Amino acid sequence: WSRLRASMDLDGHMSGGKDDVDESTQTSTRDVTIDMATIMESETFASQQSTPSEEIGTEIHQKDDIASLTGSDVLPKSAKAKSSSGFSSASFNFWENYTTFKPEDIKAFDDEDDESGIFHYVSDMMLEMRSYIHSFIRQLSIQLLVVFFLSWMVLCALGIGLILNWRASSIDGRRVEVESKAVSIGAFFASQMDKALSPLYTLAAFVKSSEDLMQLSNIAMSFDIISSNFRNVTGIPPSILQQYNSIVKNIYQTVDAGSYRISSTIINLQLAPRGIVSLIYPPDPKAIGHDLLRDSNRRPDALKAISEGFVMSGPVQLVQGGNMMIGRLPIFVDSTVPGAIDPVQLQVTAASPDMYWWGFATCLFNYEDVLEKSGIFDELAREGLVFNLTRLDVVANGNSQIYSTNVIASSVNQTMSNDFVVVPLQVPGNTWNLTLGDKNGFHPSWVSGAIAATVILSFCLAMFMLTILVSRKMQKQLLYRIMPARAIKRLQHGRQVVEVFSTVTIFFSDIVGFTNMANDMHPLEVMAMLNELYCKFDALVAKHGVYKVETIGDAYMVVGGAPDRRTGPDAAERVVRFALEAIDLVKNNTGDLKLQIRAGIASGPVVAGVVGTSMPRYCFFGDTVNTASRMESTSKALSLQISEVTYRLLRECKTEFVIVPRMTDSEHKLVVKGKGAMQTYWVKGIQGGAGELIGAAGEHHVNSGL
């Protein structure tokens, strides 16, 4: 059988040919299929004639080509003629009829001898997948699709909600991180400013403690004007110049005592008595003699320093070149110091009341060098941050004030994003702001990808749930076809299934001459024939609302009134209608194989329940079952015999059935094995309008004796 099966492809056609038969005789796949069945039958017949299996195997394996087994020399003519019959010429060919048996179904008969290889294995897997997909699609319903889409939407909403929550947490966390970084950077800038300006306070202290330096305010009164913004300061005694240079050198040594050399960032330290730059170290000829109060560009900052006690200017383009920061610290002395100026004369309010203004201690430092040595640019670049350091200046303009913002420092070739934080810096005499932001924004870049992944994953999960629901539905439908739903629920709860029914109607049928017919057919043909016939019976069962109990060989058993309880007449009517249509279906068959069935019906009480734990079955017990079986076994071909109880129930129905008693002797009773004499009846059909007989059963007339 394995070698015969190997000659078939997956579509049910034969791959071999008949070497000694004309092509005209090979036009039908059905003929080849019948030939194959006949070969198998011939082998069976040979084995039944006590032919040793070894001889048969030797004869088969001597064939070089499986196609030679399909030649006419192997097939007896009688076998060909016999195997060409079928229950239905249009649909009995089980190789082609996909509603009954498919070629791939034959695999179940020969799992032990698999010679198909990986190709057939993959093909079988694809066929199984295709079958599952078709079944899956058939089981889909509006409710399941609604559940699928709702599940998808809910999963998407939950997933996207979590992502947005993580996004908000990520933004808040990043914002807090940037704010913390900005505070630390602000503290760094403030400390650098303090270090850079600390020499100013030291220089101011030295001036107040030196009588020679204090005389500079008086000497400055005699400086001649040489241009609009400069004066001649050559009249300063050399001793004062030497003392000043010595003081500044000591200051440099003091501030450079630590690990960080501040002096390298200081351009110079200046003394400007009465606002005139008189002493500079290191010397700068371009700035010496600069009168800050006469210079319209410097006067506002000078007056602001007097009123606020300190001012940081810049970045500005200095006369000595470069963009630098200027720190000016006003020096206030007693009014008794010669040359000191009363702030009232300058129309400003001094930061130190009741004190006179002596002049400025000024520090010029390269703030870009400070930033570069700090490594702040590289550090922020590594963290993906950009910054702007700005100073807000307030300039008096008559009775009003003008606010201007000057950029002190910023990230190189970077643009500030829309997500940033602003931290004010504590710088004396000025309002400085540090703006720090992420160059890509605080919004995480993974949100879009995460949402897309969530939608896809939600779809997969929803599809998985749909697959589970469909599989459960298919399993439930299969269980409900095998056993009543009520019995399944009891079994699932571990309860025994036992039910008592007072009145049910039971139908039995079998095929007349089935034993001889089965001997003349291959088992697969028998199986295909029964499958086609009983599939049609199953459709009638669903139509009339009765319950199919089981099939045993050619026997078919149906119950009305159980497991769904019905009144006795209603159950009897449904079963009889089913029986009449079943007989009519067999009688009107147009196939080559003419079948005949016997049918019998009985009514009465039964007990139903599930027997066994392995492959449990829902069975019926009681004398009514035996009686129905006797009604079938003593019935005749294409006839329906009923018991007397069923007869009485039918008389209570609204439907008018044509029923006649079965007359076997003078007493009109039938002797039934195990029952004795019984009065039985033939159901001929249903009486229609104008005397028409609908669904007639039996081969005899109504008034015939048998």
Side-chain angles (χ1 to χ4, degrees):
W1 172 246
S2 298
R3 297 188 64 196
L4 294 178
R5 176 176 171 272
S7 65
M8 309 171 192
D9 61 15
L10 294 175
D11 294 327
H13 300 295
M14 306 303 298
S15 61
K18 300 182 180 180
D19 297 335
D20 56 344
V21 181
D22 295 337
E23 292 182 0
S24 60
T25 62
Q26 302 182 34
T27 57
S28 172
T29 305
R30 172 181 170 82
D31 294 338
V32 179
T33 303
I34 295 174
D35 291 340
M36 294 298 296
T38 307
I39 292 172
M40 293 180 279
E41 182 180 354
S42 299
E43 293 180 7
T44 305
F45 177 77
S47 64
Q48 293 175 351
Q49 298 300 322
S50 302
T51 301
S53 59
E54 293 81 0
E55 297 178 5
I56 297 176
T58 302
E59 180 180 355
I60 291 177
H61 288 291
Q62 287 175 351
K63 302 295 182 178
D64 295 332
D65 191 350
I66 194 63
S68 63
L69 293 177
T70 63
S72 59
D73 57 325
V74 182
L75 300 178
K77 294 182 179 180
S78 59
K80 289 184 179 181
K82 177 172 58 179
S83 62
S84 63
S85 62
F87 175 67
S88 173
S89 61
S91 60
F92 176 64
N93 185 356
F94 59 91
W95 299 118
E96 297 177 334
N97 184 3
Y98 284 88
T99 61
T100 54
F101 282 87
K102 305 179 182 65
E104 55 268 24
D105 296 333
I106 308 303
K107 186 178 186 302
F109 294 94
D110 193 20
D111 286 336
E112 297 180 357
D113 189 12
D114 187 8
E115 301 176 358
S116 57
I118 188 63
F119 173 75
H120 284 174
Y121 174 78
V122 174
S123 300
D124 289 345
M125 291 293 294
M126 293 179 64
L127 288 171
E128 291 179 6
M129 183 175 295
R130 183 183 68 178
S131 176
Y132 177 79
I133 292 175
H134 288 172
S135 301
F136 183 88
I137 294 175
R138 286 196 300 270
Q139 294 299 327
L140 290 178
S141 61
I142 299 298
Q143 292 83 354
L144 289 177
L145 290 177
V146 169
V147 170
F148 166 73
F149 282 108
L150 286 179
S151 301
W152 187 19
M153 294 299 103
V154 170
L155 290 173
C156 285
L158 291 176
I160 293 175
L162 288 175
I163 290 174
L164 294 180
N165 186 36
W166 292 336
R167 171 179 171 271
S169 300
S170 177
I171 292 175
D172 293 340
R174 185 58 172 166
R175 186 183 300 277
V176 171
E177 180 182 350
V178 172
E179 286 179 352
S180 176
K181 189 67 176 179
V183 171
S184 64
I185 293 175
F188 164 78
F189 278 121
S191 65
Q192 293 302 310
M193 294 299 104
D194 289 341
K195 290 179 180 179
L197 298 177
S198 60
L200 285 179
Y201 296 95
T202 305
L203 180 58
F206 272 111
V207 170
K208 291 182 179 181
S209 62
S210 174
E211 294 183 358
D212 293 337
L213 294 178
M214 289 294 291
Q215 295 177 9
L216 285 175
S217 60
N218 188 34
I219 296 173
M221 295 177 65
S222 62
F223 293 157
D224 296 331
I225 298 175
I226 59 177
S227 67
S228 60
N229 298 328
F230 285 84
R231 291 176 181 268
N232 184 2
V233 295
T234 57
I236 299 177
S239 59
I240 295 179
L241 289 175
Q242 293 176 359
Q243 182 181 7
Y244 175 76
N245 292 339
S246 176
I247 292 173
V248 173
K249 289 179 181 180
N250 290 333
I251 292 175
Y252 278 8
Q253 293 176 358
T254 302
V255 298
D256 284 344
S259 59
Y260 181 64
R261 296 182 61 83
I262 298 178
S263 62
S264 63
T265 65
I266 298 176
I267 298 174
N268 56 50
L269 289 176
Q270 304 176 1
L271 273 182
R274 297 179 62 89
I276 302 170
V277 179
S278 303
L279 298 175
I280 301 178
Y281 185 86
D284 185 359
K286 294 182 180 180
I288 196 71
H290 188 199
D291 193 340
L292 301 178
L293 295 181
R294 292 180 61 85
D295 189 342
S296 60
N297 293 325
R298 300 292 186 263
R299 183 179 177 84
D301 284 341
L303 296 178
K304 183 178 180 182
I306 296 173
S307 62
E308 295 183 2
F310 177 83
V311 71
M312 180 73 73
S313 302
V316 295
Q317 182 70 34
L318 301 178
V319 293
Q320 59 267 45
N323 292 321
M324 303 171 191
M325 298 294 294
I326 304 173
R328 288 193 175 90
L329 178 67
I331 300 175
F332 293 99
V333 295
D334 292 337
S335 59
T336 59
V337 176
I341 301 174
D342 186 357
V344 177
Q345 298 178 6
L346 301 174
Q347 299 180 351
V348 295
T349 301
S352 298
D354 301 329
M355 300 291 286
Y356 275 37
W357 171 59
W358 180 88
F360 294 113
T362 304
C363 177
L364 276 68
F365 65 93
N366 188 344
Y367 74 95
E368 292 178 348
D369 186 62
V370 174
L371 296 177
E372 183 178 352
K373 290 182 178 180
S374 67
I376 191 66
F377 291 103
D378 295 335
E379 180 182 352
L380 294 178
R382 285 193 301 269
E383 298 183 15
L385 300 175
V386 293
F387 79 98
N388 282 330
L389 181 61
T390 59
R391 185 188 76 243
L392 180 64
D393 293 331
V394 181
V395 180
N397 186 13
N399 296 328
S400 61
Q401 292 180 332
I402 300 176
Y403 294 88
S404 64
T405 301
N406 295 317
V407 177
I408 300 174
S410 63
S411 297
V412 180
N413 298 326
Q414 296 289 343
T415 303
M416 182 67 66
S417 65
N418 294 326
D419 296 323
F420 56 85
V421 296
V422 179
V423 177
L425 302 184
Q426 301 299 323
V427 177
N430 295 94
T431 301
W432 286 26
N433 290 319
L434 175 63
T435 302
L436 191 63
D438 194 314
K439 64 180 180 180
N440 297 320
F442 294 159
H443 298 263
S445 58
W446 48 262
V447 173
S448 299
I451 291 177
T454 298
V455 173
I456 296 174
L457 181 60
S458 299
F459 179 84
C460 294
L461 291 176
M463 182 59 69
F464 179 70
M465 293 175 60
L466 178 63
T467 303
I468 293 177
L469 293 176
V470 171
S471 299
R472 286 176 58 87
K473 181 180 178 182
M474 294 169 64
Q475 293 172 1
K476 187 177 294 185
Q477 289 178 348
L478 180 60
L479 285 175
Y480 289 169
R481 291 177 182 177
I482 297 174
M483 193 175 296
R486 185 168 60 253
I488 293 174
K489 292 180 180 178
R490 286 174 176 264
L491 291 176
Q492 289 175 340
H493 290 85
R495 300 168 59 187
Q496 187 177 4
V497 181
V498 179
E499 297 180 293
V500 178
F501 298 91
S502 59
T503 304
V504 300
T505 299
I506 300 178
F507 164 89
F508 273 101
S509 73
D510 69 354
I511 299 175
V512 178
F514 176 76
T515 303
N516 294 331
M517 186 185 304
N519 290 333
D520 295 336
M521 299 172 64
H522 190 275
L524 288 176
E525 292 182 309
V526 175
M527 191 173 180
M529 178 193 68
L530 292 178
N531 182 70
E532 182 180 355
L533 174 63
Y534 288 156
C535 281
K536 295 179 179 180
F537 279 14
D538 292 345
L540 295 178
V541 167
K543 175 182 177 181
H544 294 285
V546 293
Y547 180 75
K548 174 186 175 182
V549 181
E550 61 182 347
T551 58
I552 304 177
D554 64 322
Y556 196 90
M557 180 180 177
V558 169
V559 174
D564 296 330
R565 299 182 183 273
R566 301 183 185 277
T567 62
D570 181 37
E573 179 180 357
R574 289 175 179 270
V575 174
V576 171
R577 282 181 175 272
F578 161 81
L580 291 175
E581 287 198 28
I583 294 173
D584 187 61
L585 184 148
V586 175
K587 183 169 61 176
N588 295 330
N589 171 49
T590 58
D592 298 330
L593 183 61
K594 298 297 182 181
L595 297 179
Q596 293 181 329
I597 65 170
R598 286 189 303 267
I601 294 177
S603 302
V606 294
V607 174
V610 175
V611 178
T613 57
S614 179
M615 297 183 65
R617 295 171 51 200
Y618 188 76
C619 303
F620 290 82
F621 304 91
D623 184 66
T624 303
V625 179
N626 299 329
T627 303
S629 177
R630 297 304 182 191
M631 290 297 98
E632 176 271 320
S633 62
T634 58
S635 182
K636 295 185 178 297
L638 299 176
S639 297
L640 177 60
Q641 181 176 220
I642 63 174
S643 67
E644 187 170 1
V645 177
T646 305
Y647 168 76
R648 293 177 182 175
L649 292 174
L650 292 178
R651 288 306 179 193
E652 299 179 18
C653 297
K654 296 181 180 180
T655 303
E656 184 178 353
F657 292 94
V658 177
I659 305 174
V660 297
R662 180 172 185 175
M663 295 178 291
T664 58
D665 51 29
S666 57
E667 297 181 356
H668 297 182
K669 290 188 178 182
L670 175 68
V671 178
V672 179
K673 181 180 179 180
K675 297 293 182 180
M678 294 183 62
Q679 177 63 60
T680 62
Y681 300 84
W682 299 113
V683 178
K684 298 297 183 176
I686 301 174
Q687 187 66 50
E692 179 184 1
L693 188 62
I694 303 175
E699 299 178 342
H700 310 286
H701 296 290
V702 174
N703 294 327
S704 62
L706 296 177

